[in-house]
Amino acid sequence: MKITKTQWPIAFTLIIFVMAGVFSFSGCKKKSEPAAPTEAKQVVSEAIEQTICPVIGGAINKELYTEYKEKKVYFCCAGCKEKFEKEPDKYISKLPQFGK
Ligand SMILES: [Zn+2]
């Protein structure tokens, strides 16, 4: 396809229009992508393997834990913590951090 002299200004305007559109689009895209993914990764790496209470299987409370064999064991409530401390061997098989 041959562009004639009279068509040039139209073609040029179109190119400018497309380029401006691309720039504004990429600029907008950058703004809408904050550093959130790295923050989420930190949370994951910080998160422990254990997600359930070894005593009754409830969701753990990260404020409630005891240290057993240098590893943190989390519980859903204070009662479970007491039970674990009395008989840790009974519950240890349910803990991923003591697996293998
Ligand atoms: Zn509990």
Side-chain angles (χ1 to χ4, degrees), residues 53 55-59 64 75-81:
C53 172
V55 182
I56 63 159
L64 271 171
F75 306 97
C76 59
C77 60
C80 292
K81 187 178 173 242

Side-chain angles (χ1 to χ4, degrees), residues 20-60:
V22 167
F23 275 116
S24 65
F25 182 72
S26 62
C28 189
K29 211 177 175 186
K30 267 185 188 172
K31 265 186 188 175
S32 65
E33 279 179 40
T38 49
E39 216 174 283
K41 265 185 185 175
Q42 268 185 331
V43 172
V44 169
S45 64
E46 209 179 271
I48 42 137
E49 287 178 78
Q50 191 196 336
T51 53
I52 57 159
C53 172
V55 182
I56 63 159
I60 56 156

Side-chain angles (χ1 to χ4, degrees), residues 1 18 29 46 54 58 63 73 86 94 96:
M1 195 178 107
V18 168
K29 211 177 175 186
E46 209 179 271
E63 314 259 299
V73 178
K86 276 180 191 169
K94 291 174 186 174

Side-chain angles (χ1 to χ4, degrees), residues 79-93:
C80 292
K81 187 178 173 242
E82 273 176 43
K83 280 185 185 173
F84 179 86
E85 282 169 344
K86 276 180 191 169
E87 303 172 275
D89 292 332
K90 196 176 165 184
Y91 306 106
I92 217 163
S93 63

